């Protein structure tokens, strides 16, 4: 028996969430006495594929097929299903990223498997197979019991640590077969988001909301983010009115993130916003209203005017950086 991990890459480079998924799969493999095979679709170098051994993969199945150059959920799901069957995989793991979400349900249907969508922890038991995930917009936790023979797990990014060890994976070329229906839809164009650091990968996120009054005031947010090596994010209304691009919107209807540090500037902390950021390890809230609900979720709170506090923070970060 093996565990199959879909090792997502962007332009030939693995994402941090891929290493998390393989580390996670490796721990389940220990619990179930099985091995880990990673499935790579796209032009990733042999060295990078072998390096997945450092995270616990014994073997990599490499699919290089021009028809799969851009993300196609149906065809990717078919490739993952065929790889899972070839490896007799009983557990299939995907990072629950945008791509992973578009594929995980299809894979589960094809394999007649139960799906744990957005797992946030290792299985607490493998018999019955029980995995914890968040529910009610992050307000609650639920233990999902899957009784099907095969299990598909969508692992929430940033919810499991990356573990490394010595080792290199063997690489095997793999060419699954596709039918016309696997290509019922195709992507015409893929555009990279403008931010320098991908929001879902970021260790630090600087985010702002309606308290900033207008798009012309985002300069200080971007400057603080750049100094900290952070990605920028925003609340929903800010994206809705076009102050910021939609791909920065975090929350229940936006992206879910779990960085080490989340700095929220001029955001009230509505439950729908918290749903997307409550997994952050440390939350710093800057808000002029001491009654703002976000302070209840904050690790550190600064009650003050963002237009005074943020420039001071920027100065302090600059001083700290120049001292080192
Ligand atoms: P506001 O609520 O207007 O808050 C602005 C904050 O800025 C206030 O707390 C104010 O005290 C503070 N402020 C004002 N001036 C200053 C200053 N000078 N310095 C410092 N602080 C200042 N929202 C999301 O963000 N993400 C979602 O995914 C999302 N999904 C939703 C889904 C549904 C179905 C619904 C109904 C709502 C959803 N919302 C979502 C909207 C959510 O309910 C809130 O309306 C929204 O998060 C508020 O955005 P905000 O905090 O930027 O603005």
């Amino acid at each position: 028996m093996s565990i199959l991990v879909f090792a997502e890459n962007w332009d030939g480079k693995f994402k941090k969430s891929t290493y998390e998924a393989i580390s996670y799969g490796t721990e389940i493999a220990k619990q179930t006495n099985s091995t880990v095979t990673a499935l790579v679709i796209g032009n990733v170098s042999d060295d990078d594929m072998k390096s997945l051994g450092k995270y616990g993969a014994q073997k990599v199945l490499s699919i290089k097929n021009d028809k799969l150059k851009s993300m196609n959920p149906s065809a990717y799901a078919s490739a993952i299903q065929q790889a899972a069957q070839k490896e007799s995989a009983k557990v299939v793991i995907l990072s629950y990223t945008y791509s992973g979400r578009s594929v995980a349900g299809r894979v589960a249907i094809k394999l007649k498997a139960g799906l744990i969508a957005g797992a946030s922890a290792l299985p607490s038991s493998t018999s019955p197979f029980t995995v914890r995930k968040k529910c009610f917009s992050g307000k609650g936790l639920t233990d999902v019991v899957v009784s099907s023979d095969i299990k598909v797990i969508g692992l929430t990014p940033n919810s499991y640590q990356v573990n490394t060890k010595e080792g290199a994976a063997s690489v095997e070329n793999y060419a699954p077969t596709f039918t016309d229906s696997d290509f019922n839809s195709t992507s015409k164009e893929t555009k990279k988001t403008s931010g320098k650091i991908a929001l879902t990968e970021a260790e630090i996120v600087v985010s702002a909301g309606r308290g900033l009054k207008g798009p012309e005031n985002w300069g200080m947010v971007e400057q603080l983010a750049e100094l900290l090596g952070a990605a920028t994010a925003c609340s929903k209304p800010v994206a809705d009115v076009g102050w910021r691009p939609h791909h920065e919107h975090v929350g229940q209807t936006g992206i879910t993130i779990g960085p080490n540090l989340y700095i929220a500037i001029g955001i009230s902390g509505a439950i729908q916003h918290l749903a997307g950021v409550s997994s952050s390890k440390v939350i710093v809230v800057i808000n002029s209203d001491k009654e703002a609900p976000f302070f209840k979720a904050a690790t550190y709170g600064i009650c003050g005017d963002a237009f005074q506090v943020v420039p001071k923070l920027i100065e302090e970060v600059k001083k700290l950086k120049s001292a080192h």
Side-chain angles (χ1 to χ4, degrees):
M1 178 187 130
S2 83
I3 289 176
L4 184 78
V5 180
F6 173 51
E8 214 181 293
N9 70 87
W10 177 264
D11 270 352
K13 293 284 161 217
F14 292 120
K15 301 172 163 196
K16 178 173 158 253
S17 54
T18 299
Y19 302 134
E20 291 167 1
I22 296 177
S23 303
Y24 180 85
T26 302
E27 199 50 45
I28 300 180
K30 274 188 210 155
Q31 291 177 8
T32 54
N33 202 17
S34 44
T35 56
V36 175
T37 299
L39 176 69
V40 175
I41 301 178
N43 278 327
V44 177
S45 74
D46 259 24
D47 281 351
D48 281 355
M49 285 195 276
K50 284 180 193 156
S51 76
L52 295 182
K54 281 199 304 197
Y55 308 95
Q58 275 98 337
K59 180 163 85 172
V60 174
L61 294 180
S62 162
I63 302 177
K64 289 189 170 126
N65 179 332
D66 279 353
K67 286 175 109 178
L68 302 180
K69 260 187 177 164
S70 58
M71 174 66 186
N72 178 321
S74 304
Y76 272 48
S78 172
I80 296 168
Q81 172 209 3
Q82 292 177 61
Q85 284 166 339
K86 171 178 150 53
E87 295 296 302
S88 306
K90 293 291 180 203
V91 179
V92 177
I93 298 167
L94 305 95
S95 307
Y96 216 50
T97 55
Y98 275 138
S99 304
R101 279 169 200 243
S102 68
V103 174
R106 295 168 201 256
V107 174
I109 287 170
K110 283 174 182 286
L111 292 170
K112 296 191 170 44
L115 168 67
I116 298 139
S120 55
L122 283 168
S124 53
S125 149
T126 52
S127 180
F129 200 85
T130 311
V131 182
R132 182 158 283 195
K133 60 168 274 184
K134 287 189 178 167
C135 60
F136 299 118
S137 301
K139 280 278 172 194
L141 295 166
T142 181
D143 290 323
V144 183
V145 179
V146 178
S147 55
S148 54
D149 184 34
I150 301 175
K151 289 95 183 158
V152 175
I153 303 178
L155 177 68
T156 302
N158 279 320
S159 60
Y160 192 74
Q161 75 277 9
V162 173
N163 297 325
T164 52
K165 59 179 191 113
E166 291 292 310
S170 62
V171 178
E172 180 183 318
N173 290 328
Y174 178 52
T177 51
F178 296 100
T179 60
D180 286 349
S181 65
D182 289 326
F183 294 97
N184 273 345
S185 63
T186 49
S187 329
K188 285 193 172 159
E189 192 184 13
T190 308
K191 281 188 183 163
K192 214 173 169 184
T193 52
S194 55
K196 289 183 188 135
I197 298 170
L199 190 47
T200 46
E201 306 276 302
E203 302 281 341
I204 305 176
V205 173
V206 180
S207 185
R210 227 160 22 185
L212 253 68
K213 321 287 186 220
E216 66 281 5
N217 295 324
W218 247 264
M220 61 181 185
V221 176
E222 284 173 344
Q223 197 185 352
L224 181 61
E226 193 169 340
L227 280 166
L228 294 173
T232 47
C234 68
S235 65
K236 180 176 184 292
V238 158
D240 285 346
V241 293
W243 292 0
R244 297 300 289 177
H246 269 292
H247 63 75
E248 285 197 358
H249 153 202
V250 288
Q252 184 184 322
T253 46
I255 299 176
T256 302
I257 54 171
N260 289 332
L261 172 62
Y262 183 72
I263 303 177
I265 306 166
I267 302 177
S268 56
I271 183 171
Q272 296 90 352
H273 184 87
L274 292 177
V277 304
S278 58
S279 301
S280 309
K281 312 254 172 344
V282 172
I283 297 179
V284 174
V285 170
I286 301 168
N287 198 302
S288 52
D289 174 10
K290 68 176 179 9
E291 304 295 333
F294 221 150
F295 282 125
K296 290 204 178 88
T299 322
Y300 301 100
I302 303 173
C303 185
D305 182 349
F307 297 98
Q308 291 176 11
V309 175
V310 177
K312 280 185 188 151
L313 257 181
I314 289 172
E315 284 317 306
E316 290 305 316
V317 175
K318 277 186 184 165
K319 273 189 217 160
L320 269 175
K321 288 190 89 168
S322 63
H324 288 93

